[in-house]
Amino acid sequence: LGLSWRDEDDFSRGILVSNVQFNSPAAKAGLRIGDRITHFDGTKIADDEQFQKLVVRAPANITLKVVDRAGTE
């Protein structure tokens, strides 16, 4: 995906994007630093370990639900 996220104790609000690599799939999809990914291909994100597993197993075309810094979708 080409992104990094902040390690947090509470992932109830999703994964907080801390870095987006230039020209990566994440950058091309419009992800920005500070965005929160709450769902990955329809699955609510429970923690970073689950998110990593979902990314590894994901097909080429996935859907992410992102809530931005202002709290909007």
Side-chain angles (χ1 to χ4, degrees):
L1 281 176
L3 62 86
S4 302
W5 57 90
R6 184 178 303 160
D7 188 22
E8 299 181 300
D9 292 332
D10 180 12
F11 289 96
S12 64
R13 292 179 37 218
I15 298 291
L16 179 63
V17 177
S18 62
N19 187 36
V20 179
Q21 295 176 355
F22 176 75
N23 213 22
S24 66
K28 290 177 182 178
L31 288 173
R32 302 179 312 185
I33 294 171
D35 287 348
R36 285 195 180 269
I37 301 170
T38 60
H39 290 75
F40 188 96
D41 209 24
T43 301
K44 182 169 173 38
I45 302 301
D47 57 42
D48 63 337
E49 184 177 324
Q50 176 210 28
F51 181 68
Q52 289 175 3
K53 288 178 182 176
L54 290 169
V55 169
V56 169
R57 296 178 183 146
N61 295 319
I62 58 162
T63 303
L64 298 177
K65 181 175 181 183
V66 176
V67 177
D68 69 21
R69 288 166 274 178
T72 60
E73 295 180 16

